[in-house]
Amino acid sequence: MTIRLYDTSARQIRDFVPLTAGCVSIYLCGATVQAAPHIGHIRSGLNFDIMRRWFAHRGYDVTFVRNVTDIDDKIIKKSAEQGRPWWSIGYENERAFNDGYDALGCLPPTYEPRATGHITEMIEMMRGLIERGHAYAADGNVYFDVRSFPGYLELSNQDLDDLRQPSGDNETGKRDKRDFAMWKASKPGEPSWETPWGRGRPGWHLECSAMAHKYLGTAFDIHGGGIDLIFPHHENEIAQAKGYGDEFAKYWVHNGWVTMAGEKMSKSLGNSVLVSDMVKAWRPIVLRYYLGTPHYRSMIEYSEEALREAESAFARIEGFVQRVTEKAGETVAPAAEVPPAFAEAMDDDLGVPQALAIIHTTVRQGNSALAADDKEAAVARLAEVRAMLGVLGLDPLDDHWAGGESDRGDDLHGVVDTLVRLVLDQRQSARDRKDWTAADAIRDQLNQSGLVIEDSPAGPRWTLGPRQ
């Protein structure tokens, strides 16, 4: 079946037809690094990580570009407030974003360009737009003339006459208030670069148009980002790129927000939950399950209860993986292909919720095989489960998770294991002398502490259980 994606520009689900057979090129608007990431930021990276993994599973050669906006109004404002260099703030938060992506198992992008490394490309694009009559210089600023581009606002489906274009300080000399800044004249104490129109710094929209052109050429397959970027950012990217002569993106794919009390999670609203805090309180693989398994176009309403439900649901999958691995006596490799129903769900606009239902059904089938002592069937189901989980980046036996570098309490895992083993030895001694009351009491006390004890042919096993 052909992969199908909801294209914002067409307002419908379309068959994906690559520009180059067997290849897919994706540009994702990445981090603006004025502050550390919250889980809403990382959700976008996760959604497109799953997209990338699915294309790769389907045999495509994927080029994935995720940019870093390391200069903009917000970073400059933070620099003034904190009395720190703008580049110091940007670099610190860029690392925090990458730590968050890595903690939640996102594959690194093919290219991760920084805006400030591409000033030359931005100057070239502005020069070309001025020559083509789409842009003009005024008071050291360079503006895009929106009336010069007939297709403006087709992505966001707005009326130009009713448009309210966001505008920053010092944007003087505009011919039309709806024109937007591609280059902003320098102000005292702010970072700036030399251009034919005077010193200044790039506008946010120009950065992405120039970097997409640099790394993906005049045309590429998919441009992604959050729904809040449709206007003005993506609309203005299109105007610049197509005005310059690029075909630009063939498909536009946007993910939904993470909300809190019905509002978009945002640092400016003071309702954000930092990734760095969340990975201390929750296993990162559970966070990935929570953020990555709803449909990418849906909204996620953040709550502790929803996280606990995600933790319990993933624990059922993880427990099955552990039990079959013990039964098999060796690690079971993922199947070469995922079940057809799973593939059908993923091909249909990345239907992760439907695909996840196939995983849970397969887990139940595997558990039934275990109960019937059908090792062969249980191993076959595990191979399928691992293949499906791998596509979602959720395979607990994958080196990223099995290595334990990112999981909750990893630094103390060995210590805890030794202490638990001592208690389990006491429980076994009680069982040997048939003191079932004492043995059960020890198990219950461990359960109350957050540990789940299971008796297996290889001996008792402990795992971290869902929090109460």
Side-chain angles (χ1 to χ4, degrees), residues 159-174:
D159 188 327
L160 183 60
D161 291 335
D162 297 329
L163 180 66
R164 296 292 181 268
Q165 186 81 258
S167 184
D169 296 336
N170 207 35
E171 291 188 10
T172 61
K174 280 187 180 182

Side-chain angles (χ1 to χ4, degrees), residues 114-173:
R114 294 189 184 106
T116 55
H118 297 81
I119 301 298
T120 300
E121 288 83 358
M122 297 178 206
I123 292 173
E124 182 180 341
M125 182 167 279
M126 285 189 289
R127 182 181 288 114
L129 287 166
I130 290 172
E131 291 172 354
R132 291 170 173 82
H134 291 299
Y136 58 94
D139 299 341
N141 303 295
V142 179
Y143 298 108
F144 188 93
D145 179 357
V146 298
R147 289 191 176 276
S148 73
F149 183 66
Y152 191 60
L153 299 180
E154 287 183 356
L155 180 68
S156 57
N157 197 29
Q158 297 185 77
D159 188 327
L160 183 60
D161 291 335
D162 297 329
L163 180 66
R164 296 292 181 268
Q165 186 81 258
S167 184
D169 296 336
N170 207 35
E171 291 188 10
T172 61

Side-chain angles (χ1 to χ4, degrees), residues 440-453:
D440 290 344
I442 292 172
R443 183 190 60 195
D444 292 343
Q445 287 176 336
L446 289 171
N447 286 341
Q448 289 173 9
S449 72
L451 300 175
V452 175
I453 308 302

Side-chain angles (χ1 to χ4, degrees), residues 14-30:
R14 297 173 55 200
D15 289 350
F16 175 76
V17 180
L19 291 168
T20 302
C23 299
V24 58
S25 46
I26 304 171
Y27 184 93
L28 174 63
C29 285

Side-chain angles (χ1 to χ4, degrees), residues 116-260:
T116 55
H118 297 81
I119 301 298
T120 300
E121 288 83 358
M122 297 178 206
I123 292 173
E124 182 180 341
M125 182 167 279
M126 285 189 289
R127 182 181 288 114
L129 287 166
I130 290 172
E131 291 172 354
R132 291 170 173 82
H134 291 299
Y136 58 94
D139 299 341
N141 303 295
V142 179
Y143 298 108
F144 188 93
D145 179 357
V146 298
R147 289 191 176 276
S148 73
F149 183 66
Y152 191 60
L153 299 180
E154 287 183 356
L155 180 68
S156 57
N157 197 29
Q158 297 185 77
D159 188 327
L160 183 60
D161 291 335
D162 297 329
L163 180 66
R164 296 292 181 268
Q165 186 81 258
S167 184
D169 296 336
N170 207 35
E171 291 188 10
T172 61
K174 280 187 180 182
R175 297 174 184 171
D176 188 310
K177 63 182 180 181
R178 289 160 292 198
D179 295 343
F180 63 85
M182 295 190 295
W183 190 262
K184 301 185 179 186
S186 65
K187 292 193 289 187
E190 290 188 352
S192 63
W193 290 261
E194 188 62 63
T195 76
W197 313 283
R199 293 193 67 85
R201 58 184 174 83
W204 175 31
H205 318 305
L206 178 65
E207 297 172 347
C208 283
S209 295
M211 288 186 284
H213 178 91
K214 168 79 171 181
Y215 292 93
L216 297 176
T218 60
F220 57 96
D221 292 304
I222 298 169
H223 195 310
I227 58 170
D228 53 319
L229 300 183
I230 294 174
F231 181 84
H233 186 49
H234 290 166
E235 196 74 76
N236 292 350
E237 279 188 65
I238 292 170
Q240 291 164 156
K242 291 192 173 183
Y244 186 64
D246 290 356
E247 294 180 38
F248 211 48
K250 189 175 180 183
Y251 299 85
W252 286 86
V253 179
H254 293 93
N255 64 276
W257 293 333
V258 177
T259 61
M260 183 180 288

Side-chain angles (χ1 to χ4, degrees), residues 51 158 317 400:
M51 173 190 283
Q158 297 185 77
I317 297 173
H400 179 83

Side-chain angles (χ1 to χ4, degrees), residues 237-297:
E237 279 188 65
I238 292 170
Q240 291 164 156
K242 291 192 173 183
Y244 186 64
D246 290 356
E247 294 180 38
F248 211 48
K250 189 175 180 183
Y251 299 85
W252 286 86
V253 179
H254 293 93
N255 64 276
W257 293 333
V258 177
T259 61
M260 183 180 288
E263 290 196 289
K264 174 194 170 188
M265 191 169 286
S266 168
K267 290 186 289 290
S268 61
L269 295 176
N271 65 349
S272 59
V273 182
L274 295 181
V275 176
S276 57
D277 293 333
M278 294 297 287
V279 297
K280 295 174 184 175
W282 300 86
R283 296 173 62 202
I285 196 169
V286 169
L287 282 177
R288 183 178 178 102
Y289 185 98
Y290 170 67
L291 293 171
T293 53
H295 193 272
Y296 74 91
R297 288 194 282 122

